[in-house]
Each structure stands twice: as C-alpha cells, then as structure tokens.
Amino acid sequence: MKPDYKNWMPRGMVLSFAAAFAASAAALCIARLLAGGTLKAVLTVVFAVLTVFFCGLTLWSVFMYRTFSYNGKRQMSRSIIEGVAAYVKLPEGGRGLDVGCGSGALAIACAKRNPAASFVGIDRWGKEYASFSKLLCERNASVEGVGNVSFARGDAAALDFPDGSFDAVVSNYVYHNVPGDRQALLLESLRVLKKGGVFAIHDIFSKAKYGDMQAFVRKLQDMGYAQVSLIDSTDGKFMSRGEAAWMGLSGSALLVGRK
C-alpha cells in the first residue's frame, strides 16, 4: 500500500477545464450548423475564443497534474518536499511544526528524517482542497510507518501555541494563499520557534505577494536571527526557471535560518 499525498493540481479542476473545453467546442459546432447570417458570425467568434481558451487551460492543468504527481516521471512535489525536509535536523526529544500540512507530506518527511524527535502538522483543510484532510494525513503517516507525527486543525494567522514551542518550523507553498500581510504571517510562525530553533519555509516570495523580502531578511537579522537567507528554488534546485514560469511559480524560494 502506498501513501496518497494527492496532487497540488486538483483532479476536479482538470476535469472542470476539460468539460468547459468540450462544452464550448460543442457549442461552436452547433452555432455553425444551426445559426445563420450575422448571428452565426458572432457566435462562431465567441465560441471559437472560448474553445481555444479552455483548450489552453485544459492542457496547462494536465501538464501541471503530471508534473506534480508523486508517482509520475517528474515528481516535482516529491523533490520539493524532500528538499525542504533536508534542512531540518532536530535534537533528541525536539518538536517541529509544519504550517499548512495539506496531505501530511512535509511533516511526515521531516518526522522520518528525525526519528528521535516529533512533528505536528496543522491545516484548516479548506473546501478548495476538499480531498485533503486530517484523516488523510493520519492514514499517510500510518502507511509510511511514521509514529512520531500528529495532525490538528489550525490557523496560520493565529497559531494556537505559546511562544517558543518548537525546535523547527517548516512550511511549503502555504502563505501566498492567505490574504493579508504575509510578512506578518511569517513572523507569527517564527513566534512559536524556540531560541536556537531552525526554520525552512518554501513559498512564492515575489514582491507582488510579499513586498521586499530582502528587507525582511535584514529585519530578521536585526532581530537576532542567524544564518538567514533566501534561496532561489527556480534555478534548478527544485525546478527550472522555465517550469516556474509556465506553472505560475516564479519567485519560489526557501527562507531558511535559525532563531
């Protein structure tokens, strides 16, 4: 039995785009057969544009689905998860937190690398990713034979943990989905980190989403954080720049450091 980490491109979205493409193509054919004169010309243009548009979205989503698949050829999701987890080394008895754990992949990967420590994965498991759940995370951990990880419902904007609760904080492609001040979200996650604890947060750190991240790095350094760096993950580390561009992941980087 294999774990089911799902796909970052929901299958339902792929099928929805395919259905819209089929519907617009059918409408185009019907318009050309049944309409006449000016109406035929207008409907032909409208449905032709829609057909091309939804055809493009369908192809894009299919390529995304294949690229992110854990069991496919590219397995980008797996390489990102394992790459982020590689930054986390906890002491015996240490505790780590995965913010926005989704299907549990990153929390489980970190727990496997740190068998003498424990990890907690939190998520709100919203309706936009309905196939992700606490139960799914627990099943995946069981299938992987990982017992040093647990999961709970939580809010990245207001973590239900006291200051300095964890020896590590990790996250992958979460904060850019949360509206508001995303630098404040990062600070909220770092709030629960112990002195000396490490963090490895992977996201789309573009200026449009986060503002000036180089200034944020300097801010953390001024606050006393050590070894803080923003590592580009689109230069071949996890993906190429071309892949990042067509998938809408340009600006992806790892924010790492120690408190």
Side-chain angles (χ1 to χ4, degrees):
M1 187 176 180
K2 294 182 179 180
D4 181 11
Y5 290 123
K6 300 299 180 183
N7 195 297
W8 297 347
M9 170 56 67
R11 181 177 295 180
M13 186 177 294
V14 178
L15 295 176
S16 294
F17 288 148
F21 165 60
S24 57
L28 174 61
C29 293
I30 292 171
R32 290 186 62 80
L33 286 173
L34 301 181
T38 303
L39 178 60
K40 179 178 181 178
V42 171
L43 292 178
T44 296
V45 171
V46 169
F47 287 122
V49 170
L50 288 174
T51 299
V52 171
F53 176 71
F54 285 116
C55 178
L57 282 179
T58 301
L59 291 174
W60 171 78
S61 63
V62 167
F63 287 140
M64 288 275 281
Y65 190 88
R66 294 180 63 182
T67 299
F68 285 139
S69 172
Y70 267 79
N71 301 312
K73 184 178 180 180
R74 177 63 177 86
Q75 297 186 5
M76 183 182 289
S77 299
R78 187 187 299 274
S79 65
I80 292 174
I81 291 297
E82 294 296 335
V84 175
Y87 283 85
V88 181
K89 295 178 176 61
L90 294 186
E92 184 175 351
R95 296 180 70 211
L97 174 69
D98 177 14
V99 181
C101 61
S103 61
L106 181 54
I108 292 169
C110 290
K112 288 173 71 173
R113 286 175 173 269
N114 297 273
S118 63
F119 259 81
V120 177
I122 66 160
D123 204 303
R124 69 183 185 90
W125 293 296
K127 62 182 180 180
E128 62 270 36
Y129 283 92
S131 61
F132 291 54
S133 67
K134 181 174 181 284
L135 180 59
L136 174 65
C137 293
E138 292 170 343
R139 285 175 176 169
N140 286 334
S142 177
V143 170
E144 293 274 26
V146 177
N148 59 327
V149 62
S150 61
F151 302 94
R153 188 171 295 277
D155 182 358
L159 297 174
D160 190 22
F161 301 103
D163 295 358
S165 297
F166 297 95
D167 298 280
V169 171
V170 298
S171 186
N172 180 54
Y173 281 144
V174 172
Y175 303 101
H176 75 274
N177 291 313
V178 183
D181 185 344
R182 297 185 176 99
Q183 291 190 15
L185 288 174
L186 292 174
L187 291 174
E188 170 63 7
S189 292
L190 297 179
R191 174 186 65 78
V192 303
L193 194 61
K194 292 180 180 178
K195 186 68 175 177
V198 299
F199 58 92
I201 297 172
H202 186 238
D203 203 4
I204 305 173
F205 289 113
S206 64
K207 190 170 185 178
K209 297 181 184 296
Y210 274 90
D212 189 342
M213 280 301 295
Q214 293 302 328
F216 184 74
V217 168
R218 293 192 294 271
K219 177 179 179 178
L220 291 181
Q221 292 169 339
D222 291 341
M223 293 170 65
Y225 287 81
Q227 303 170 0
V228 184
S229 58
L230 196 62
I231 304 169
D232 187 356
S233 61
T234 69
D235 60 354
K237 186 175 184 65
F238 296 152
M239 68 196 83
S240 69
R241 297 198 190 285
E243 286 177 322
W246 73 259
M247 290 190 294
L249 301 177
S250 295
S252 293
L254 260 167
L255 179 68
V256 299
R258 184 179 297 275
K259 193 168 187 177

